[in-house]
Amino acid sequence: MRITLASFLAIIALAWGWEILSPGHQAVGSLAWTVYHEGLILTGLWSICLMSLAMILATRPAWLERPLGGMDQIYRLHKWSGILAVGFAAAHWLLEMADDVAETLAGGAGHVDGDELSAFAEPLRDLGEDLGEWVIYVLFALLLITLWKQFSYRLWRPLHRAMPVLYLLVVFHAVVLAPAGYWNQPIGLLLTVLFAGGSVASVLSLTGRIGRKRKVGGSIVSVRNPTPDVVEVQCRLDKQWRGHRSGQFAFVTFDIGEGAHPFTIASADNGDRTVTFDIKALGDYTRQLSRHLSPGSPVQVEGPYGRFDYHRANRRARQIWIAAGIGITPFLAWLESLQGDRATAVAADLHYCVRDRTADPFVERLEALCAGLPEVRLHVHDKQSGRLTAEALATESADAKRAEVWFCGPRGLGEALRGGLHQAWPGNRVRFHQEAFEMR
């Protein structure tokens, strides 16, 4: 993700620099004033281009899953594009507010007001400038609410849905204030493509058409509670369902007012259009879910998405599968799928981290599934047996030349194991797959 964002920002900077070096570039005054003005322009360009990227990624473009590593990584890129966009917008705003100070330090004689370089009339420029200032205040507030995890998702969701409107206002601000010379330069072409893509994405979002081609209706077949904090929902979907690969997830809507939530599909594709979701009570919505669901109730599923797929495993590497808590769901689907697909059976060590194996709802099911797969060795870790550590994994696989880890569970545990394994196995001997399942 860092490389993708850095490359994106570099492309924008190169296009901006190309325009500066072009023969038709209009100077705005002294060198000091030019540095200030171009800094103001560049921070604005980075901000609006990142906003455009975030809007395009919000449409859940499935064709980008392969190059970017899955829909979870697309959402992660969407999230950080938005955060950085607001950050650069803040820098742009601070530079704009420092206009008088810059004029004092750089000298006002002979400098040209950047607004006058625009191809639009003064009333439109004034409107664009005013809108841009008010939008940045709203964006600051929305970013703080988004980062405040305790803020109710039910309240956050309608606020976040206002982002397309704010984006279109920022596009207007950028278009009417951009220098006229930009539009016959590479930077103009880049902005045109991004603005067009972001605007189309905004319309799709505002009209509720995101993911429409991948949405399928269905009904709930059964609802049960393996434990008080886990609800298992089995659904039968309509004929339009394309099927899924084990380990994928979908956006599931049980309540139109609540909207869609991402849940891993915890069952293999048996060709009968049934999918199972094991949902842990992690918030207000999921805690109350079992009380509102019943057999026969309608459900809408959008997907499938994701590339957490054992078919992508490197057969030459030692396979280490690690799950913690509800993170076991993709591995349940894997194990179910392997029961009838022995030709692609994978030799692996499956480590399952729980608080108490005697009270866990999945241990017995895992043992039964692994009994039919001698290639998969199950290890259950709880308080009595001790925590799973990177050092223990490295010792267990010391004879392996390379290892591939597939992890699904709390982010903190995943990062600790990733860092520990890279220290224990220096170099490129460990490849670590971890789903970034934070959609907010």
Side-chain angles (χ1 to χ4, degrees):
M1 183 196 70
R2 294 177 182 177
I3 295 175
T4 302
L5 284 174
S7 301
F8 183 76
L9 293 174
I11 291 171
I12 298 164
L14 286 173
W16 161 79
W18 182 284
E19 193 279 332
I20 290 178
L21 297 176
S22 66
H25 176 73
Q26 292 179 273
V28 294
S30 65
L31 176 61
W33 186 264
T34 298
V35 170
Y36 162 79
H37 175 74
E38 294 301 337
L40 179 68
I41 291 287
L42 182 58
T43 53
L45 285 173
W46 273 339
S47 178
I48 185 59
C49 289
L50 283 166
M51 287 185 196
S52 301
L53 177 62
M55 285 304 310
I56 293 170
L57 295 177
T59 63
R60 300 198 271 273
W63 58 276
L64 282 177
E65 284 202 276
R66 182 182 292 272
L68 294 181
M71 189 57 64
D72 60 308
Q73 299 299 329
I74 289 176
Y75 258 78
R76 188 182 180 203
L77 184 60
H78 161 80
K79 172 184 175 180
W80 281 102
S81 296
I83 291 173
L84 287 175
V86 178
F88 283 119
H92 180 76
W93 174 76
L94 288 172
L95 286 171
E96 179 64 32
M97 292 298 101
D99 178 86
D100 293 338
V101 175
E103 186 171 352
T104 300
L105 295 176
H111 91 268
V112 177
D113 191 333
D115 292 352
E116 296 178 11
L117 301 177
S118 168
F120 291 85
E122 184 175 352
L124 280 179
R125 298 201 305 267
D126 291 342
L127 177 60
E129 194 163 355
D130 292 340
L131 284 175
E133 182 176 352
W134 282 106
V135 166
I136 190 63
Y137 299 145
V138 178
L139 288 175
F140 289 159
L142 287 178
L143 177 61
L144 291 176
I145 290 173
T146 299
L147 296 177
W148 180 22
K149 298 297 185 182
Q150 286 72 32
F151 190 83
S152 169
Y153 176 85
R154 184 179 288 272
L155 296 177
W156 173 83
R157 181 171 172 265
L159 292 175
H160 192 66
R161 286 182 63 85
M163 287 300 299
V165 176
L166 298 177
Y167 169 77
L168 292 174
L169 293 177
V170 174
V171 168
F172 175 76
H173 166 84
V175 168
V176 300
L177 292 179
Y182 272 25
W183 304 110
N184 58 2
Q185 294 287 335
I187 186 64
L189 175 61
L190 182 61
L191 290 177
T192 300
V193 171
L194 288 173
F195 288 175
S199 298
V200 170
S202 298
V203 173
L204 291 176
S205 177
L206 292 171
T207 56
R209 297 172 64 187
I210 290 179
R212 185 180 63 173
K213 292 183 179 180
R214 286 178 167 259
K215 289 180 180 178
V216 177
S219 60
I220 295 175
V221 175
S222 65
V223 181
R224 72 184 192 93
N225 290 94
T227 65
D229 62 344
V230 174
V231 57
E232 183 176 274
V233 185
Q234 187 181 54
C235 309
R236 186 179 301 278
L237 304 179
D238 296 339
K239 293 181 179 180
Q240 291 78 15
W241 178 247
R242 305 175 183 179
H244 69 280
R245 297 191 307 274
S246 298
Q248 291 190 296
F249 69 91
F251 290 91
V252 185
T253 302
F254 295 116
D255 177 3
I256 295 178
E258 178 66 27
H261 287 257
F263 299 121
T264 298
I265 302 173
S267 58
D269 188 346
N270 297 314
D272 57 358
R273 305 193 311 278
T274 61
V275 292
T276 301
F277 301 99
D278 285 294
I279 304 167
K280 188 175 179 63
L282 297 173
D284 294 339
Y285 172 68
T286 49
R287 287 193 191 99
Q288 302 174 12
L289 198 56
S290 61
R291 286 180 280 176
H292 299 295
L293 301 181
S294 60
S297 298
V299 64
Q300 186 179 73
V301 175
E302 178 196 330
Y305 296 109
R307 289 176 58 77
F308 199 80
D309 183 1
Y310 70 85
H311 288 98
R312 297 174 55 219
N314 182 356
R315 302 305 177 88
R316 297 179 180 179
R318 177 75 171 263
Q319 290 296 308
I320 302 173
W321 303 348
I322 305 173
I326 203 65
I328 193 62
T329 49
F331 297 105
L332 290 173
W334 283 15
L335 295 174
E336 278 192 17
S337 179
L338 286 169
Q339 302 293 318
D341 191 14
R342 299 302 301 276
T344 58
V346 182
D349 286 280
L350 172 57
H351 297 267
Y352 181 35
C353 304
V354 297
R355 293 181 181 178
D356 182 2
R357 66 176 297 158
T358 61
D360 187 84
F362 301 113
V363 170
E364 185 176 349
R365 183 176 167 190
L366 284 170
E367 290 174 339
L369 289 169
C370 290
L373 298 169
E375 302 89 353
V376 179
R377 297 170 292 276
L378 175 64
H379 312 268
V380 180
H381 305 268
D382 62 4
K383 291 182 179 179
Q384 293 184 348
S385 62
R387 291 186 58 188
L388 176 66
T389 64
E391 292 74 15
L393 288 173
T395 301
E396 179 185 285
S397 305
D399 59 335
K401 294 182 179 180
R402 65 180 68 176
E404 190 172 43
V405 178
W406 296 80
F407 175 88
C408 189
R411 185 178 64 178
L413 175 60
E415 291 176 350
L417 291 174
R418 182 199 295 265
L421 285 172
H422 282 298
Q423 288 183 356
W425 285 331
N428 297 321
R429 297 179 61 190
V430 182
R431 187 179 182 188
F432 203 100
H433 301 267
Q434 180 181 0
E435 286 213 316
F437 228 117
E438 288 192 6
M439 300 300 181
R440 173 180 167 184

